[in-house]
């Protein structure tokens, strides 16, 4: 599946949110929350790898650009 940069941003946002839920003191089932986080992070990593290969770009550069867009949207250039 071909991904856009915005797809990658959404996948990383989902992984960050899943991580926050896992770390929440109110989490009902830590094992399920942890698995959701791992799955979201894996989906992001797979999409980054595919995107970078499709675009002929460095996977690390793509990942860092997405993480910057998610964590510091005011300074990120997409």
């Amino acid at each position: 599946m071909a991904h856009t940069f915005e797809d990658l941003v959404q996948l990383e946002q989902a992984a960050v949110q899943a991580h926050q839920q896992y770390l929440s003191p109110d989490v009902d089932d830590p094992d399920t929350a942890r698995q959701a986080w791992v799955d979201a992070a894996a989906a992001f990593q797979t999409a980054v790898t595919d995107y970078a290969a499709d675009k002929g770009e460095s996977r690390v550069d793509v990942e860092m650009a997405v993480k910057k867009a998610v964590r510091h949207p005011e300074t990120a250039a997409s």
Side-chain angles (χ1 to χ4, degrees):
M1 173 182 178
H3 293 282
T4 65
F5 187 83
E6 185 57 37
D7 292 338
L8 300 180
V9 169
Q10 291 173 359
L11 287 168
E12 174 62 4
Q13 289 169 332
V16 168
Q17 183 179 28
H19 185 234
Q20 290 170 343
Q21 289 172 347
Y22 170 62
L23 295 177
S24 171
D26 299 326
V27 67
D28 291 330
D29 184 351
D31 292 334
T32 300
R34 181 185 178 284
Q35 191 60 54
W37 168 39
V38 168
D39 292 345
F44 169 68
Q45 290 296 324
T46 298
V48 166
T49 300
D50 293 346
Y51 179 90
D54 288 346
K55 298 289 185 181
E57 297 179 13
S58 161
R59 195 203 65 75
V60 172
D61 289 346
V62 170
E63 181 177 349
M64 292 301 102
V66 172
K67 288 183 184 251
K68 182 177 181 181
V70 170
R71 294 181 177 129
H72 306 286
E74 67 282 355
T75 62
S78 53

